[in-house]
Amino acid sequence: MAPTKTVAPKEPALVRLWDWLTETQIWKSIFRHGKPTNDRNRVVVMLSNVFLHLHPVRIRKSGVKLRYTWCMGGMSFFLFLVLTFTGLLLMFYYRPTLEYAYTDIVGLREHVPLGIMREMHRWGAHAMVITVWLHMFRVFMTGSYKPPREFNWVVGVVLLVLTLLLSFTGYLLPWDQLALWAITVGTNMVGSAPLLGEPNRFVLVGGYQVGQAALIRFYTLHVIGLPLLAAVFMMVHFWRIRRDGGLARPL
Ligand code: HEM
């Protein structure tokens, strides 16, 4: 009887392409580790990636249970990314001048393809304010602010203030009646603070009345100053979780 020939099963094309890609010099010059198939490589992956190295290398399952974290910090970060992306697209269209601001927003709602970005931006902003508060509530209820995490709680408070300021500065940009009077009331509240209230209001509004100077100031703060600050503080927040020994966990 003739011997039966055993033919090795052919690997799928995608697997072969992947194997080829990960052997090229370009790939190896970017990623200096093997595939994350064993513990050592997984650690090296985490430590040698600029984004991943902010996170802990090991975490305990009990500390990341949805029931425990509610993933509200993660949701806040996700919404921040959505807002950055949709906001960037809005910047291609919206002009922060008294002449165009309102009509550009109406245009975005009614005529422009992808005008849905404006709605996503607005709803996303409301959602982020809610998720950040819920995240803070969860951290408080689980006692995760206690040592060694008290500094990260303070970083969190800064992030909360920045989130609220982003929301506040964005409110003026549609330049409708709601925006105008909400910001007039808000900045008047700043003005009524003792000692430095009035000078602070003057700097914020760029004059005695909410007008073009206020619009451009709020716009610049909204699209550059505050998001940059928030991104820096978020990096510190995530890195700090790692330095504090990962997330707190149930006892
Ligand atoms: C833009 C706002 C914020 C973002 C994107 C954010 C993001 C995160 C993420 C992703 C985590 C990991 C655990 C989780 O998802 O629950 C976390 C943990 C933590 N956050 Fe925030 N956070 C924000 C605001 C705050 C605020 C307002 C506070 C409190 C004032 C706070 C205090 C903390 C603390 C103490 C931890 C460590 C908790 C633990 O070890 O279990 N964060 N944050």
Side-chain angles (χ1 to χ4, degrees):
M1 208 168 75
T4 47
K5 237 174 106 193
T6 49
V7 184
K10 218 174 163 194
E11 286 193 319
L14 259 179
V15 175
R16 273 182 289 140
L17 178 71
W18 175 253
D19 285 346
W20 169 81
L21 185 72
T22 50
E23 285 304 315
T24 58
Q25 194 179 352
I26 298 180
W27 181 277
K28 284 185 171 169
S29 68
I30 304 172
F31 304 105
R32 301 218 162 119
H33 49 72
K35 293 176 189 158
T37 44
N38 56 42
D39 266 3
R40 190 189 165 277
N41 273 3
R42 286 188 200 112
V43 170
V44 183
V45 168
M46 290 300 285
L47 293 179
S48 59
N49 180 294
V50 68
F51 300 108
L52 294 181
H53 93 279
L54 295 172
H55 299 285
V57 168
R58 284 196 178 77
I59 44 172
R60 289 185 187 82
K61 265 189 182 167
S62 55
V64 282
K65 273 202 168 139
L66 197 60
R67 210 164 30 136
Y68 183 71
T69 64
W70 300 353
C71 197
M72 280 301 133
M75 277 306 290
S76 308
F77 182 57
F78 170 72
L79 285 168
F80 179 75
L81 295 182
V82 170
L83 289 166
T84 308
F85 179 70
T86 52
L88 202 79
L89 291 183
L90 291 179
M91 283 175 75
F92 282 107
Y93 193 79
Y94 171 85
R95 287 162 291 181
T97 63
L98 297 194
E99 194 181 355
Y100 294 118
Y102 178 70
T103 47
D104 282 354
I105 294 289
V106 174
L108 274 164
R109 294 191 73 166
E110 288 172 16
H111 311 298
V112 181
L114 285 183
I116 182 91
M117 289 298 153
R118 193 258 164 167
E119 307 308 324
M120 285 174 68
H121 198 73
R122 196 176 176 92
W123 284 99
H126 293 323
M128 185 173 167
V129 171
I130 295 170
T131 56
V132 171
W133 278 118
L134 284 177
H135 171 56
M136 189 176 177
F137 180 64
R138 164 328 256 178
V139 170
F140 179 75
M141 293 309 280
T142 52
S144 308
Y145 55 84
K146 291 179 191 164
R149 298 182 176 80
E150 57 293 42
F151 177 69
N152 219 10
W153 173 267
V154 176
V155 175
V157 173
V158 175
L159 283 172
L160 172 72
V161 173
L162 287 172
T163 307
L164 297 179
L165 283 176
L166 273 164
S167 185
F168 182 65
T169 47
Y171 215 76
L172 182 65
L173 306 186
W175 201 250
D176 51 12
Q177 286 293 318
L178 186 65
L180 184 65
W181 295 112
I183 301 306
T184 303
V185 172
T187 50
N188 280 348
M189 283 161 72
V190 174
S192 57
L195 296 176
L196 289 176
E198 202 38 56
N200 273 339
R201 197 192 95 87
F202 188 83
V203 172
L204 196 61
V205 171
Y208 293 103
Q209 259 186 0
V210 176
Q212 177 62 63
L215 184 58
I216 199 73
R217 275 169 202 222
F218 274 52
Y219 177 74
T220 313
L221 282 173
H222 187 77
V223 302
I224 300 177
L226 295 169
L228 259 183
L229 267 180
V232 170
F233 274 91
M234 274 179 214
M235 280 198 289
V236 176
H237 199 56
F238 299 153
W239 167 80
R240 192 67 200 199
I241 295 175
R242 183 182 151 197
R243 304 303 301 170
D244 292 341
L247 293 181
R249 65 205 153 97
L251 292 171

